[in-house]
Amino acid sequence: MQNIDSMKVRQEIPDVVNYINELFDDAIKDNVSDIHIETTKDFLIIRHRKDWDFDIYDKISLEHVSTLITRLKVLAKVKIDENKKPQDGKIVYVSEKEKETIDIRVSTLPTIFWEKVVMRILRQDESLINLESIWLHDINLEKVRNVLESKYWIILVAGPTGSWKSTTLFSILKDFNPLEYNISTLEDPVEYNIDFVNQSQIKPEIWYTFASWLRSLVRQDPDIIMVWEIRDKETALLSIEAALTWHLVLSTIHTNSAAATIQRLINMWIEPFLIASALKMIISQRLVKKICTHCKKVHEIDDLMKARVKKELLDIMESDEISELQFYKWVGCEHCKNTGYAGRIWVHEVLVLWDYLEKSVLSMASASEIHKVATKEWMITILQDAIFKAALWDTTLEEAFKLI
Ligand SMILES: [Zn+2]
């Protein structure tokens, strides 16, 4: 991170249109995920977020705040004169320089000095997203495919904010040929467009909620329904009802593990028998940093780490197999700006609710008890998956153990 005080304040912006084009072009070139525009009492700063970390992109004199933010609001098609309320908009940007079209989701929020603008860059190359591209372990991929063969369950993708849950949902959706099914989605916001899928954007400000839309949607003769997120009891119950009346329902939920997801539904006062009969699979996921392929180096781990790895894997691997695993460590080079990492990868745990779990769900067992039963039935935990990915040299043990 650069030192903000030593950076020069940009005094001139001769052409705001060019300046913003350049800002977007640079974001594409550097594979940035978000652009943050913030006003302090002395200047405006623009930061780029990439792989969780921030870089300061520019520091600008306060006299340009109004021009810059107004231009962004025009592009995002939100109200220019509204600065007391948060607004959401979208920019479709065609970069002539980078030969790419991107979607930019724009969110504005009033702050004490001005408005903060955050822009999420969405690469339109969603053709690359599919079940094979989201780093599912072979065993997990097989589990997911097995469950998808029956088309009347609820499948939930669980994880904290920013764990790319929506990408996983889309990779599942894309496993179905939309011309063979009636697929409808309720999203907030719509991130990727898929041909022949009926995508609706939920607008809570004009009374539409997931629950009210879902009620109308089931009358549209759908086969597969994707609901952006289960946040409340009403949406959870309607999703369960849809699943029990022969629909496949896909959704996300904000929880930290597969087992905690069941607990969360019980805490929403959903009857355990409904959970047991409708919920079939939970894909819980997190992100870890991907090691830089240019500078990674074989690394002999110390005895303490060996013991930790062994303790985690002993349930699913033989002791001598574990000792043979080899790990890498990061070094740092020009490609990764000396950080040792470049990009992120998913780690998962896939919990399939076959009969063995029914008793635990019905008796409202705790998350840790459910986790224990599931691992006995060969669920690979998120940490185990991360250790495997470290052994496959995609990440490091350091990153894996950050998950706990
Ligand atoms: Zn490197």
Side-chain angles (χ1 to χ4, degrees), residues 29 38 53 155 158 209 235 283 296 303 309 329 349 383:
K29 190 179 77 207
E38 318 160 276
D53 301 323
I155 296 173
T209 60
T235 314
I283 304 172
K296 65 183 181 185
D303 290 345
V309 169
K329 75 168 178 184
E349 62 188 20
L383 179 55

Side-chain angles (χ1 to χ4, degrees), residues 166-369:
S166 53
T167 312
T168 301
L169 270 193
F170 273 99
S171 70
I172 297 174
L173 260 195
K174 286 185 66 185
D175 221 49
F176 295 94
N177 178 350
L179 292 176
E180 286 174 23
Y181 301 93
N182 179 11
I183 306 179
S184 293
T185 71
L186 301 179
E187 304 175 50
D188 180 23
V190 173
E191 285 192 349
Y192 308 96
N193 297 331
I194 310 181
D195 291 342
F196 308 113
V197 169
N198 312 292
Q199 294 174 278
S200 302
Q201 160 92 47
I202 298 296
K203 291 207 165 64
E205 67 271 21
I206 46 173
W207 83 263
Y208 290 124
T209 60
F210 283 119
S212 60
W213 270 64
L214 191 48
R215 216 171 263 129
S216 309
L217 183 60
V218 287
R219 291 194 284 270
Q220 289 262 318
D221 186 28
D223 301 300
I224 301 169
I225 301 170
M226 189 187 95
V227 186
W228 202 237
E229 191 181 13
I230 292 185
R231 285 179 215 175
D232 51 59
K233 185 180 180 181
E234 209 186 349
T235 314
L237 280 176
L238 286 163
S239 303
I240 288 171
E241 209 175 282
L244 293 178
T245 47
W246 311 98
H247 301 94
L248 176 67
V249 182
L250 308 170
S251 191
T252 69
I253 192 161
H254 190 107
T255 55
N256 278 330
S257 72
T261 305
I262 296 171
Q263 191 82 51
R264 176 82 204 282
L265 291 170
I266 289 173
N267 290 345
M268 281 182 187
W269 300 100
I270 309 290
E271 294 285 352
F273 77 92
L274 287 176
I275 302 173
S277 41
L279 182 62
K280 184 46 78 185
M281 178 165 70
I282 303 160
I283 304 172
S284 174
Q285 66 183 44
R286 303 277 278 277
L287 298 175
V288 291
K289 288 185 181 175
K290 185 173 187 292
I291 196 165
C292 170
T293 46
H294 297 279
C295 62
K296 65 183 181 185
K297 218 175 105 194
V298 180
H299 174 50
E300 194 57 46
I301 56 174
D302 61 30
D303 290 345
L304 188 70
M305 191 50 106
K306 269 184 197 152
R308 283 182 88 181
V309 169
K310 199 166 188 172
K311 181 171 162 272
E312 288 305 326
L313 297 186
L314 214 46
D315 285 347
I316 45 174
M317 278 175 86
E318 297 296 333
S319 175
D320 45 343
E321 276 178 331
I322 301 172
S323 334
E324 278 169 23
L325 294 177
Q326 201 172 38
F327 298 95
Y328 272 57
K329 75 168 178 184
W330 67 271
V331 180
C333 68
E334 56 176 7
H335 296 279
C336 56
K337 291 188 183 153
N338 278 320
T339 59
Y341 295 99
R344 287 176 277 178
I345 58 169
W346 281 262
V347 287
H348 310 91
E349 62 188 20
V350 177
L351 176 65
V352 183
L353 285 92
W354 298 124
D355 298 345
Y356 71 92
L357 262 175
E358 200 175 322
K359 220 171 86 194
S360 311
V361 176
L362 290 179
S363 65
M364 297 203 261
S366 69
S368 62
E369 282 164 335

Side-chain angles (χ1 to χ4, degrees), residues 9 67 159 165 262 348 365:
V9 179
T67 338
K165 296 190 286 283
I262 296 171
H348 310 91

Side-chain angles (χ1 to χ4, degrees), residues 106-121:
V106 182
S107 147
T108 69
L109 193 89
T111 62
I112 50 168
F113 293 117
W114 205 278
E115 282 168 286
K116 169 156 172 136
V117 183
V118 177
M119 294 182 279
R120 165 68 51 90
I121 311 284

Side-chain angles (χ1 to χ4, degrees), residues 83-108:
N83 52 19
K84 304 272 184 297
K85 287 185 194 153
Q87 298 192 84
D88 294 309
K90 191 174 150 182
I91 300 171
V92 178
Y93 176 67
V94 184
S95 169
E96 281 166 21
K97 196 170 160 205
E98 299 298 323
K99 309 262 174 299
E100 192 179 337
T101 300
I102 53 166
D103 283 343
I104 304 169
R105 206 170 79 209
V106 182
S107 147
T108 69

